[in-house]
Amino acid sequence: LCVPSTVGLIVLGPQIISLIYQHGRFSEFDTTQTAYALAAYALGITFYSLIKIYQPAYLAFNDAKTPMRIALQSIVINAALNAFFVFVMHWTHWALALGTTLVATTNLILLALYFRKKSPGVWTREVFVTLIKIIVASIVMGAAIVFTLRKLSAVFVEKNLLNNCYLVFIPMASALTVYFAA
């Protein structure tokens, strides 16, 4: 469920944020900026989920040091990436979220590589085939969200709470239907 959630949050993020926050002083600009950060964080959902699987697996092999070392390296990498993004690239808040996602990705890759020595049969062909199916179904689902949003945006033009609900919940329903069908 992490991969389709990632796609859904990236594609439907602005509408969700608008529904929840865009009232009073929270402007359309604020919604857009928050959606950028949400998209950058959403990219890391799958990686964080897999980290939460690998860490206890190391403990099952009586190895608490490897995940701890990797976590400490990740903290250093995160600080370096954030400094680079902000002070060198002059990117804004979303880059901090992207840095967090990149660190989670690095953390997962290192955990997976070292774990291969303990249990080489984790990433089998069947796992990769399933992952490809999930990715394809998620892409189809994302396309369905975009299509649904385009059609609904022409109908629900006025910005109000009820229309914002339609622009979030109808695409979500179509996304769930399309994902599970795919």
Side-chain angles (χ1 to χ4, degrees), residues 32-147:
T32 302
Q33 295 303 308
T34 305
Y36 290 151
L38 176 62
Y41 277 126
L43 290 170
I45 290 173
T46 302
F47 304 114
Y48 274 111
S49 298
L50 289 171
I51 288 168
K52 297 300 177 192
I53 293 171
Y54 269 107
Q55 286 176 338
Y58 274 93
L59 296 177
F61 281 96
N62 294 319
D63 181 4
K65 290 180 182 177
T66 302
M68 182 192 66
R69 284 188 201 123
I70 292 171
L72 291 174
Q73 290 171 357
S74 294
I75 292 169
V76 172
I77 293 168
N78 195 12
L81 273 176
N82 287 343
F84 175 75
F85 289 159
V86 172
F87 298 118
V88 176
M89 300 301 294
H90 303 288
W91 290 346
T92 58
H93 65 286
W94 63 268
L96 299 176
L98 180 63
T100 301
T101 292
L102 293 174
V103 167
T105 307
T106 304
N107 191 330
L108 173 66
I109 290 169
L110 292 174
L111 286 171
L113 286 175
Y114 288 118
F115 197 76
R116 284 180 43 196
K117 296 173 188 171
K118 296 181 182 308
S119 181
V122 173
W123 290 95
T124 63
R125 184 178 187 281
E126 292 80 18
V127 170
F128 280 109
V129 168
T130 301
L131 182 60
I132 297 294
K133 289 178 182 178
I134 290 169
I135 291 170
V136 169
S138 297
I139 291 170
V140 172
M141 179 200 78
I145 293 172
V146 170
F147 176 80

Side-chain angles (χ1 to χ4, degrees), residues 7-19 35 140-159 162-175 178:
V7 172
L9 285 171
I10 291 171
V11 178
L12 203 54
Q15 288 72 26
I16 295 170
I17 292 165
S18 177
L19 174 64
V140 172
M141 179 200 78
I145 293 172
V146 170
F147 176 80
T148 306
L149 272 176
R150 283 189 181 156
K151 296 295 182 186
L152 292 175
S153 294
V155 176
F156 302 110
V157 179
E158 185 181 333
K159 294 283 184 185
L162 185 59
N163 285 354
N164 285 347
C165 286
Y166 291 138
L167 291 172
V168 170
F169 295 115
I170 293 173
M172 275 186 183
S174 73
V178 168

Side-chain angles (χ1 to χ4, degrees), residues 18 20-28 30:
S18 177
I20 296 171
Y21 295 114
Q22 196 171 327
H23 311 285
R25 292 187 177 164
F26 203 89
S27 69
E28 194 167 328
D30 298 327

